[in-house]
Amino acid sequence: RCWTVRGGRTPPTARPGPGSEGAPPRYTVQDWRAQLRLLSRSDWKEPLFARLRPWIDRWERRRLAPETLARLGPDLVLGERGFPQVARRRWACGGRSLRDATVLVQGTGNGWDVAGWAGLRPRRIVGVDLFDFGASWGDVARHCRDRHGVEVSFHASPLESMSFLETGSMHLAVSDAVFEHVKDMPSVLREAARVLRDGGSLYASYGPMWYCAGGDHFARGGLRNAYNHLLLDPGAYRRYLEANALPVEDVQSGRRYAELDLFSRLRTDGYLEAFRAAGFQLDGLILELSTSALQFRRRFPAEWMDLRGRCAGCHEDDFLIKTNFVRLRKSGAS
């Protein structure tokens, strides 16, 4: 079978947090085909981006402190929208073909990313998400089989407990916009390391990160609200959420994430430390800076200073780094 769903829960209906007012929003699941088209629409620009990327890197590096660059050692520093999906997939594979590979997609949501990875024609893809997107998953699995000839199975399960996968059975684990929502990163990484073969790879992009502009994936009502999740007290923040909620929300939206408190609250250093502790070697790191963060710093200097004072232990650059792209290698002979 190309589509199997086991265990898990359907995406929940969120309820108001303590002290909030009004009925909870209704949630809908975005069409995976539309999402795949949206995220692939800049792929045709990749030849231009590839030529410009070294110049962009030199320009964007000037925005970060020398000590940040020395500590993190990124391969590239980019602005937004300069690393389209086709480039991410190529970079994630490190130039290697996936033709005989088994790929684990962590946190699939509606499954659009599984359809994207199927275009690289791996032997098999296993998609896992905490919640059950069964109807969407069935469509994605049929699409992957009919268009790409790729066997796909889906499982509703926590990422930190995938007992249906054998130890050392995966060649590559991948995720986009997932790790910023993981509450127990060490457990998720230990399980990823278990199911990967020795020398296997893990690719992840995650962001906007918690300390950046829009780190709550909400940031509605204009640029001034970009750091409300850090600047407002809990009561004021709940009122802000309620005032800007839509009658119907995407189930993978900031509104739902805020209701369920699905945020890791890690900075780049915290992620890199967690990767090392789980036995992964860093094989590549790309940093993406936030346009909104840079604009906020320029337009609201008083609020920027307040932000720096409220977040003890943060470097100013933590408020600018929007996304990490990482490529990791599990220790062991390949």
Side-chain angles (χ1 to χ4, degrees):
R1 292 178 60 185
C2 286
W3 171 39
T4 58
V5 179
R6 299 184 178 90
R9 296 171 288 172
T10 56
T13 300
R15 291 175 170 77
S20 61
E21 298 178 356
R26 292 184 295 114
Y27 290 106
T28 186
V29 177
Q30 186 175 350
D31 178 69
W32 68 269
R33 293 180 186 272
Q35 193 171 3
L36 182 63
R37 287 193 297 268
L38 176 66
L39 293 170
S40 301
R41 66 183 182 182
S42 297
D43 286 355
W44 66 272
K45 300 179 182 178
E46 172 52 18
L48 175 61
F49 285 142
R51 290 194 295 271
L52 292 177
R53 214 163 275 138
W55 299 91
I56 295 172
D57 173 56
R58 284 195 285 272
W59 176 264
E60 297 295 344
R61 281 176 184 268
R62 301 188 306 173
R63 304 186 189 277
L64 298 177
E67 59 266 29
T68 298
L69 294 171
R71 187 179 70 254
L72 301 179
D75 299 288
L76 289 171
V77 180
L78 303 176
E80 295 183 35
R81 295 181 295 276
F83 201 37
Q85 184 179 182
V86 63
R88 299 182 193 184
R89 298 290 187 259
R90 187 181 303 125
W91 184 81
C93 295
R96 297 183 296 274
S97 172
L98 294 184
R99 284 290 182 172
D100 296 320
T102 52
V103 178
L104 168 66
V105 180
Q106 299 168 292
T108 66
N110 62 18
W112 71 267
D113 46 355
V114 169
W117 285 103
L120 298 181
R121 307 292 177 88
R123 181 168 61 85
R124 182 166 68 98
I125 298 177
V126 178
V128 181
D129 197 276
L130 177 61
F131 301 110
D132 186 340
F133 291 80
S136 176
W137 286 349
D139 290 341
V140 171
R142 286 186 288 272
H143 168 86
C144 295
R145 177 196 61 203
D146 296 343
R147 181 164 182 174
H148 302 298
V150 177
E151 175 193 352
V152 171
S153 62
F154 286 98
H155 301 258
S157 171
L159 294 178
E160 54 266 47
S161 179
M162 297 181 289
S163 58
F164 48 87
L165 291 177
E166 295 182 4
T167 298
S169 59
M170 297 286 113
H171 294 83
L172 175 66
V174 301
S175 66
D176 285 293
V178 173
F179 281 5
E180 73 268 33
H181 301 301
V182 170
K183 302 286 285 186
D184 186 358
M185 185 60 64
S187 294
V188 168
L189 293 173
R190 283 195 298 270
E191 184 68 349
R194 181 188 71 80
V195 302
L196 282 170
R197 67 171 188 167
D198 289 343
S201 298
L202 185 151
Y203 155 81
S205 70
Y206 42 92
M209 296 166 67
W210 179 252
Y211 290 95
C212 188
D216 59 350
H217 292 53
F218 196 76
R220 297 176 186 173
L223 181 64
R224 184 180 287 274
N225 295 327
Y227 289 96
N228 275 0
H229 60 296
L230 300 178
L231 291 173
L232 297 180
D233 63 65
Y237 181 67
R238 285 194 294 268
R239 291 190 292 273
Y240 160 69
L241 290 176
E242 290 295 331
N244 289 276
L246 302 174
V248 179
E249 298 270 5
D250 186 343
V251 75
Q252 295 177 268
S253 70
R255 170 64 170 164
R256 174 174 170 265
Y257 297 144
E259 293 287 354
L260 298 176
D261 192 29
L262 289 178
F263 300 104
S264 73
R265 293 179 171 82
L266 294 177
R267 301 187 295 273
T268 299
D269 297 89
Y271 283 106
L272 297 183
E273 181 179 348
F275 298 149
R276 287 191 292 268
F280 287 100
Q281 299 173 351
L282 185 64
D283 190 41
L285 171 64
I286 295 175
L287 304 178
E288 180 184 80
L289 304 187
S290 167
T291 301
S292 295
L294 294 165
Q295 293 174 343
F296 186 96
R297 182 173 65 174
R298 183 174 63 252
R299 290 182 56 185
F300 306 112
E303 287 84 351
W304 186 261
M305 292 300 296
D306 187 19
L307 184 67
R308 296 181 62 183
R310 284 174 177 264
C311 300
C314 286
H315 190 282
E316 183 172 2
D317 290 343
D318 292 320
F319 305 125
L320 300 178
I321 298 173
K322 177 180 180 181
T323 305
N324 290 174
F325 301 89
V326 295
R327 190 175 59 217
L328 309 171
R329 181 68 60 86
K330 179 183 173 181
S331 300
S334 57

